[in-house]
Amino acid sequence: MSGPFAFDTSYAGLPERFYARQAPARVSAPRVLRVNRALAETLGVDPARLAGEEGAAMLAGNALPEGATPMALAYAGHQFGNFVPQLGDGRALLLGEVVGRDGLRRDIQLKGSGPTPFSRRGDGRAALGPVLREYLVSEAMHAMGIPATRALAAVATGEEVYRETPLPGAVLTRVAASHLRVGTFQYFAARRDAEALRKLADYTIGRHYPELRGAERPALALFEAVMGRQARLIAGWMGVGFIHGVMNTDNMTLSGETIDFGPCAFMDAFHPATVFSSIDQQGRYAYANQPGIAQWNLARLAEAMLTLFDDDVDRGVALANESLAKFAGLFGDAWGATLRAKLGLAGSEEGDRALADGLLDTMQVGHADFTLTFRRLSEAAAEPARLADVRPLFADPMTFDDWAARWSARLARESVTPAARASAMRRVNPWIVPRNHRVEEALAAAQTGDMAPFDRLFEAVTHPWDDQPANADLAAPPAVVDREYRTFCGT
Ligand code: AMP
Ligand code: MG
């Protein structure tokens, strides 16, 4: 019997120095924890086969699915501002690519499948908690319409991994448009490998931006297209209160998907300086720093691509700078559109950005919950009396009243009906996001073998637009906002 994956792996056609061929490590007792049936079907894979014994062996790395060409991909990256010329997949293997029923090509990757030539001092393993965390949050992001890598399966290995303490081990099957990163270009730029840079640019264009093939300067067009996707992605993150937490250049894709859900988290009370990651002591990757960091990372990408922009270095630098200068506008437009949608504004007026910023400032001062504020505004958009439900979210409700009067005046100049406005707002302002305290609860239960809280939370956060009265406890902010909450990236 063939399959279960119909691999068609274009990456294997790139030169050998793009990756290291590596078989996954065997584990003692693989057990499938969860399979993403809908995603399996999109990929043309039979979910029942993945969920069975054969699937467990394949998804844990004990048996290679037919046609798999496991490889650890090479990349470099700036980690917290410091350049590391060789990172690479130290705990992940690309099994191969699959063209789905929707015609889209995707990578199938095992994460936590054992050491590779890129492991450095790492053990190549992943712990159950971070695997389930990525499974949950990546699928929640996808459900909210934010480009993100996906999760096809989580399997327990039956082995322990050692972090500060022994933890149950697991392997995630990650699905991505590709695993090409800013750091992939940096890897070859650091080696002054002009041929590899050219091949990488051609490959990236062919895979993600085929419309640029005929461009006058394809590499520059590629750079600008990546910039555009990243600008929209960051605006999408910020629109749902998402903080990635570790926006190193090796964690920034060329496809424009969110990748690596290590220390990420969603904000409860709004504050632009919010940061959760335990290793981010300077707040480099805080909520409001994300656009600036994206631009910094893109500047590193431009540096790595410089020789592709023009044969003349000075001309290449001038072109790069000209392009980079567009980022602020690209992000500003994307963020402005996100905010207008969140406020229910179909039209566009001069003062809209100030109106939105006025709300954010009021929320910051009033410690208002990010998700609840916008969702309740969506209800008030249909029924002004329900502004009464928004007010108590603010420490000083009168400050909200002042803002609400401005908003109501602005809405009066819109031609959309209140009902249509409210329904549009309910499609951009989630009813629920995976809040830290609920994610932690679900993961803690899973560690003891109880998957019920995980399943319940997963079901809730993958239907983010729906009102779910039975899950009100999962949608509510923590009783006491935990300002000391920290996330760890020990995947
Ligand atoms: P991350 O912080 O998850 O983006 O990973 C940064 C780099 O560290 C990548 O090259 C990873 O492959 C590597 N890495 C992280 N954890 C491990 C591990 N447990 N074993 C080997 N390499 C790892
Ligand atoms: Mg990474």
Side-chain angles (χ1 to χ4, degrees), residues 75 91 111 174 181 246 250-251 259-260:
Y75 54 87
R91 54 175 162 180
K111 188 170 175 186
R174 176 158 76 180
R181 308 151 190 263
V246 61
D250 53 305
N251 292 337
I259 194 168
D260 276 0

Side-chain angles (χ1 to χ4, degrees), residues 396-443:
D396 175 1
M398 309 263 275
T399 58
F400 171 73
D401 296 340
D402 291 342
W403 181 85
R406 289 165 60 199
W407 183 52
S408 302
R410 172 66 183 84
L411 292 184
R413 293 193 295 276
E414 289 268 309
S415 53
V416 181
T417 67
R421 172 183 309 131
S423 94
M425 287 176 77
R426 286 191 204 101
R427 300 279 305 174
V428 290
N429 294 317
W431 185 85
I432 185 169
V433 293
R435 294 185 190 261
N436 303 319
H437 65 298
R438 293 305 185 195
V439 174
E440 294 303 325
E441 257 174 30
L443 300 186

Side-chain angles (χ1 to χ4, degrees), residues 14 20 59 88-89 92 125 203 219 222 263 273 330 334 431 484:
L14 287 165
L59 301 173
D89 289 333
R125 302 294 190 173
Y203 181 82
L222 168 62
L330 289 171
W431 185 85
E484 297 302 308

Side-chain angles (χ1 to χ4, degrees), residues 75 79 86-92 111 115 118-126 163 181 246 248 250-251 260 489-491:
Y75 54 87
Q79 299 188 304
Q86 179 169 309
L87 288 167
D89 289 333
R91 54 175 162 180
K111 188 170 175 186
F118 300 109
S119 296
R120 290 167 294 159
R121 265 158 290 154
D123 59 2
R125 302 294 190 173
R163 297 296 178 252
R181 308 151 190 263
V246 61
N248 293 335
D250 53 305
N251 292 337
D260 276 0
C489 42
T491 330

